[in-house]
Amino acid sequence: MSDNAAITVSHLSKQFDGIEVLRDIDLVINQGEVVSILGSSGSGKSTLLRCMNWLEQPERGKIYIGQQRIGIREDNQPMTNKQLSKIRESVGMVFQSFNLWPHLNVLQNVLVSLLHVKKMHKAQATEIAIQQLEKVGMLDKKDSYPITLSGGQKQRVAIARSLAMSPDVLLFDEPTSALDPERVGEVLAVMKQLSQEGYTMVVVTHEMDFARAVSDQVVFLEKGKLIEQSPPEQFFTQPKSDRVRQFLTTLDGSI
């Protein structure tokens, strides 16, 4: 493993009901990189992302967060929930469906993990939560409840919640797919800002303009296999595989 690797995926395979949805995936994501994962529906994109923080457990292969293997201990036994939780503190996850607590206001949603996972004093936790809400442009909504927010606002709160934990890596699982079209831009703007600040980000997305403009690498999955990985300009203008060429042609007819 490279000393610069934020995530290392080695020979990863995953099945659901006997059907192989990930097949022998190898992938290295370096610190500070933004990697977009593309592919048609059912190609295994979200499953790969969920394996990276052990929300899905693969049948074969290894995943390292930095230099620490996740899910399996050195004695080849499964990690305890406490051990898993410790590693997951360094991996922020932003879900398609926001996953905010409806009975807590915006500030409280960001505070929860700081208070109960990191065991911070409330004053320190509140200072961090306010900083992150300000970063995503949601500080003015700190006393509001999720039911009163738009989808884009909810997603920005979810991003602030992940940022508050000071993760080494941010995982985004189709973060704009549940949003009204006019709200997509506000979330992508926050993500672009984070990329400029040097956050390591892995993004499952259908937003081709974002993938092209912000990514350091673009990964394409097809039927559970990683069939192409390249810098965005090469991926979008000179794809190596016929399948990627077909995929891009279907999107806009430009290739």
Side-chain angles (χ1 to χ4, degrees):
M1 286 181 298
S2 165
D3 290 341
N4 194 43
I7 299 178
T8 303
V9 177
S10 178
H11 298 295
L12 191 75
S13 295
K14 170 67 181 174
Q15 295 183 357
F16 288 122
D17 298 324
I19 298 172
E20 201 164 30
V21 295
L22 293 176
R23 295 190 272 176
D24 201 32
I25 301 285
D26 288 315
L27 178 63
V28 177
I29 296 162
N30 289 317
Q31 295 172 17
E33 277 191 328
V34 178
V35 175
S36 291
I37 302 177
L38 310 183
S40 58
S41 179
S43 60
K45 306 182 300 295
S46 291
T47 300
L48 174 58
L49 198 77
R50 290 171 65 85
C51 284
M52 289 179 182
N53 66 354
W54 218 250
L55 290 177
E56 298 289 354
Q57 299 179 19
E59 275 69 38
R60 295 184 300 280
K62 299 178 180 179
I63 299 174
Y64 291 85
I65 306 300
Q67 305 299 309
Q68 172 70 59
R69 186 176 178 185
I70 188 170
I72 305 295
R73 303 186 314 221
E74 291 182 2
D75 61 2
N76 286 323
Q77 295 301 308
M79 284 185 168
T80 64
N81 288 335
K82 184 176 180 179
Q83 291 168 328
L84 265 178
S85 294
K86 185 63 178 176
I87 297 178
R88 283 177 176 153
E89 287 183 30
S90 64
V91 184
M93 183 83 174
V94 179
F95 296 91
Q96 176 180 339
S97 55
F98 324 126
N99 287 16
L100 300 179
W101 297 103
H103 63 289
L104 301 179
N105 66 29
V106 164
L107 180 60
Q108 290 166 337
N109 262 282
V110 180
L111 282 174
V112 166
S113 294
L114 294 173
L115 296 174
H116 298 287
V117 177
K118 290 211 166 184
K119 307 295 184 184
M120 285 186 180
H121 293 298
K122 188 170 183 180
Q124 181 187 8
T126 300
E127 181 179 353
I128 292 171
I130 286 174
Q131 288 173 351
Q132 299 307 331
L133 286 171
E134 186 172 22
K135 180 191 286 284
V136 302
M138 287 298 296
L139 184 56
D140 63 324
K141 297 290 187 180
K142 66 181 177 64
D143 297 319
S144 301
Y145 285 82
I147 195 172
T148 69
L149 304 179
S150 70
Q153 290 171 328
K154 290 176 185 177
Q155 195 61 287
R156 285 188 283 155
V157 174
I159 292 171
R161 179 181 58 189
S162 289
L163 292 174
M165 297 293 286
S166 300
D168 296 324
V169 180
L170 287 167
L171 307 180
F172 293 84
D173 189 7
E174 300 193 23
T176 61
S177 63
L179 305 183
D180 293 332
E182 64 268 23
R183 298 296 182 181
V184 169
E186 65 191 59
V187 173
L188 293 181
V190 169
M191 295 170 65
K192 288 178 182 178
Q193 175 189 341
L194 297 178
S195 73
Q196 293 165 357
E197 293 177 9
Y199 281 90
T200 305
M201 298 164 56
V202 188
V203 186
V204 171
T205 185
H206 294 289
E207 300 291 339
M208 297 299 115
D209 289 342
F210 173 88
R212 187 167 187 166
V214 177
S215 303
D216 296 291
Q217 295 287 324
V218 177
V219 169
F220 188 86
L221 297 187
E222 171 73 5
K223 296 180 180 178
K225 294 187 70 175
L226 195 163
I227 66 170
E228 187 151 346
Q229 178 181 357
S230 57
E233 281 308 306
Q234 178 180 328
F235 182 90
F236 285 101
T237 62
Q238 295 180 309
K240 293 176 283 188
S241 72
D242 290 339
R243 177 64 187 101
V244 171
R245 186 179 299 273
Q246 179 189 35
F247 174 79
L248 295 173
T249 301
T250 301
L251 291 177
D252 61 11
S254 63
I255 293 181

